[in-house]
Amino acid sequence: MAVQTREQAVVDRVDKQLYIGGQWREPRSGRRLPVEDPATGEVLCEVADAGPEDGMAALDAAVAAQEEWAQHPPRQRGEVLRRAFEMITDRQEDLALLMTLEMGKPLPEARAEIAYAAEFFRWFAEEAVRIDGRYAVAPDGKGRMLVMRQPVGPCLMITPWNFPLAMGTRKIGPAVAAGCSIVIKPAAETPLSMLALARILEECGLPAGVLNLITTSEAGPVMEPLIKDGRARKLSFTGSTEVGRMLMAQASDQLLRISLELGGNAPFIIFDDADLDSAVEGAVLAKMRNIGEACTAANRFHVAAGVADRFAEKLAGRLSAMKIGRGTEEGVQVGPLINGETRDKVSELVQDALGRGARAVVGARPLDGAGYFYQPTVLDDVPRDARMLKEEIFGPVAPVVGFDSEEEAIAAANDTEFGLVAYVYTSNLKRAFRVIEGLQTGMVGLNQGMVSNPAAPFGGVKHSGIGREGGPEGIHEYLNVKYVAMNV
Ligand code: NAP
C-alpha cells in the first residue's frame, strides 16, 4: 500500500465517537474536535467533542457497570487483559503508525511505546489473580483479624499526550484487574491511540460500561462535575503539576482516592569515576527519548568539573548526528514537538540561559518550515540561575553544569520542587549508595538512562506526585482495605 494510503487507512479505521456504556455514539452537541499531525500542522481527522452532559452519561454507565464487574471472577478479568495484550501486540505496526501521526514521535519509538503499553496489560492480567489479604490471631489471643482487599469503585482517569497509549494502559490495566469501572479522558491532542485501545478492549470481551471513553476540548467543564459528583471514588491523573494540584483540590470535595503522576525535573549526575562513553549513551536515551517530551527526561546534567566539557562535546557530537524529520520517515530519530506553544517555551528557556552566559555547543534554534521542530541542543556552563534548571524543558535541550564535590552534586540535584527520577553514573559502589540514598526522588537510574518497566513501581515524591503505577504496588491504588474484627 502506498505510504499516504496506509496512513489514511490507519486513521480511517479508528472509531471517532464517544464510547459510553458499550455504545459508540455522537456527543449531544454534535461538535467535532480536530486532530493535528504535529510534523505538518495539518488536520488528520476529527473526533467527537464531548460536553458536560456526555461526561455525566459516561459516569452513569461506569456506575451502572461497577457492581457486576467487581463480582466477575478475577481470572476472567485477567483474561480480558491478556487477550488485549495479544491483540495490541498483533496490531503493533498500525498502532505505532497511528501514534506517530498524532503525536510525532519517530516510528521506532512509537513501536517501543506500543510494546511497553501492552506489557502493562500482561502484568496486570497476572496480578488480577494475586489480590490477597491476611488472617491473624489478635495479640491478646482472643479475637481473630481478617484483612481483605476490595475494588475502590468507579474511577476517573485523565491522561497526557506524550505517551498516548502507555499512560492509559498503566491505569486501565490495574483498574480492570482490581474490578473497577472507568471513565477515561485522553489528551485533546492525541485521542486516536486511546480510541483504538477502547475498540480492542471491546473486541476482547470487556463488558459494556466497564470502560467509558470521552474525548473533549473542554477538559475542565467536562471533568470537574464528575470529580465532584461523589459516585466515582478514585481519580488517577497523569499530566502537569499545575493541573494536578487543581484536580487534587477538586477531589477533596468528595475525598476521592487520588493517584497523581506529575511533572519532573530529572538531574543526570556524572562523577569523574564514571565510564564517560556509557554516560553519554545513557544521556542520549534519557534526554532524547520522546524528543525530550517525557516526565522522566533528563532535564539537567550535573557533571564533575574535570570531565564536564569533554562530556558536553561528546554529547553534542551524538545529538548533532541525529536525523530530524517527520516520525514516519526512515531513519528519523527526532520528530516535531507537540505544538507551537511547546516549541516557543523551549526557545524561550534556551534564550534565557544564553542571555545569562551559557554557551551553545550545538543547536539552540527552532527549525524553519512546517511542523514544530527544534534542533537537538547542548548548552555548556549553564549558570545556576538559568530558568531551565528549575523548569521542565520538555524538548531536546541538554544543559550541562559542573560540580566540585559529591555533596555539591547531591544538593544541586535536590534543589527543585520536583522529585520524579534521577540518573547517577559512577563506578564506585559505596558512592552510588550514598548518592542514591541522598536523592529526593521516587526513582533512580544507576548507570542507566531509562527506568520505566511495567514490573516496577513508577512514581514521584514532592511536586512530582502521589501514588505508584506498575509493579505489585500498582494494583493497590485501585483496592481498598477492609479489616474485619472477629469474635471467635
Ligand atoms: P496537562 O496540560 O496537565 O494535561 C494533561 C491532561 O489533563 C490532558 O488530558 C488535559 O486535557 C487534561 N486537563 C488539562 N486541564 C484540565 C482541567 N482543568 N481539568 C481536567 N483535565 C484537564 O499536561 P500535558 O502538557 O498534556 O502533559 C505534560 C505533563 O505531563 C508534563 O508536566 C509531564 O511531566 C507530565 N507527565 C508526567 C508523567 C508521570 O508519570 N509523572 C508521565 C507523562 C507526563 P487537554 O488535552 O484537553 O488539555
Side-chain angles (χ1 to χ4, degrees), residues 51-365:
E53 65 280 21
D54 302 306
M56 204 44 85
L59 179 59
D60 291 344
V63 171
Q66 174 57 46
E67 206 175 309
E68 204 186 319
W69 185 238
Q71 301 301 327
H72 250 69
R75 176 68 76 198
Q76 286 181 20
R77 298 200 301 257
E79 278 172 358
V80 171
L81 292 174
R82 176 71 204 198
R83 286 195 292 275
F85 160 74
E86 309 277 357
M87 201 177 280
I88 295 170
T89 307
D90 287 348
R91 298 183 187 174
Q92 184 179 24
E93 273 310 301
D94 282 358
L95 289 168
L97 178 57
L98 187 68
M99 184 182 291
T100 293
L101 290 174
E102 67 173 343
M103 187 275 166
K105 68 180 75 181
L107 260 180
E109 289 203 47
R111 285 189 196 106
E113 185 184 336
I114 304 300
Y116 175 54
E119 284 297 341
F120 283 103
F121 280 2
R122 174 151 70 170
W123 176 265
F124 286 108
E126 292 156 357
E127 291 296 283
V129 291
R130 313 239 185 288
I131 298 167
D132 57 8
R134 70 187 164 90
Y135 171 85
V137 177
D140 65 6
K142 292 177 189 149
R144 299 293 180 266
M145 301 187 296
L146 190 64
V147 177
M148 56 179 77
R149 295 199 169 85
Q150 295 179 304
V152 296
C155 299
L156 304 174
M157 300 177 177
I158 302 175
T159 56
W161 49 263
N162 60 346
F163 291 94
L165 199 68
M167 298 303 97
T169 58
R170 74 181 189 185
K171 297 184 192 306
I172 295 170
V176 164
C180 298
S181 62
I182 298 159
V183 175
I184 190 163
K185 189 209 83 65
E189 268 113 342
T190 58
L192 302 178
S193 296
M194 202 77 85
L195 285 163
L197 182 69
R199 172 62 89 184
I200 286 174
L201 283 164
E202 183 184 32
E203 285 180 37
C204 289
L206 190 71
V210 177
L211 178 80
N212 304 279
L213 168 56
I214 44 177
T215 50
T216 179
S217 62
E218 297 183 311
V222 170
M223 294 311 291
E224 188 172 352
L226 310 193
I227 295 168
K228 294 188 167 172
D229 180 278
R231 288 177 296 161
R233 294 310 312 150
K234 157 109 195 171
L235 170 66
S236 179
F237 170 75
T238 300
S240 61
T241 298
E242 189 191 356
V243 173
R245 189 179 283 122
M246 193 174 66
L247 296 178
M248 187 169 171
Q250 290 175 11
S252 70
D253 256 29
Q254 297 288 346
L255 290 165
L256 302 191
R257 279 190 65 177
I258 49 168
S259 301
L260 302 173
E261 297 285 350
L262 309 177
N265 178 4
F268 193 110
I269 309 167
I270 304 168
F271 289 96
D272 52 10
D273 56 30
D275 173 338
L276 201 61
D277 288 329
S278 145
V280 170
E281 228 28 71
V284 172
L285 183 61
K287 180 72 256 180
M288 297 305 292
R289 177 167 168 251
N290 225 41
I291 322 149
E293 295 171 314
C295 51
T296 50
N299 207 60
R300 49 207 166 96
F301 292 84
H302 297 281
V303 188
V307 292
D309 290 348
R310 205 143 49 89
F311 168 77
E313 289 298 334
K314 280 179 179 251
L315 183 63
R318 290 293 304 276
L319 263 50
S320 58
M322 292 178 91
K323 186 174 170 190
I324 308 174
R326 188 163 185 251
T328 50
E329 287 161 20
E330 192 58 36
V332 163
Q333 293 160 294
V334 187
L337 296 174
I338 189 72
N339 53 33
E341 201 184 315
T342 304
R343 186 175 62 174
D344 292 347
K345 163 129 195 253
V346 171
S347 273
E348 200 183 298
L349 292 177
V350 169
Q351 288 313 316
D352 169 79
L354 293 174
R356 292 174 200 266
R359 180 170 61 86
V361 189
V362 72
R365 265 180 29 81

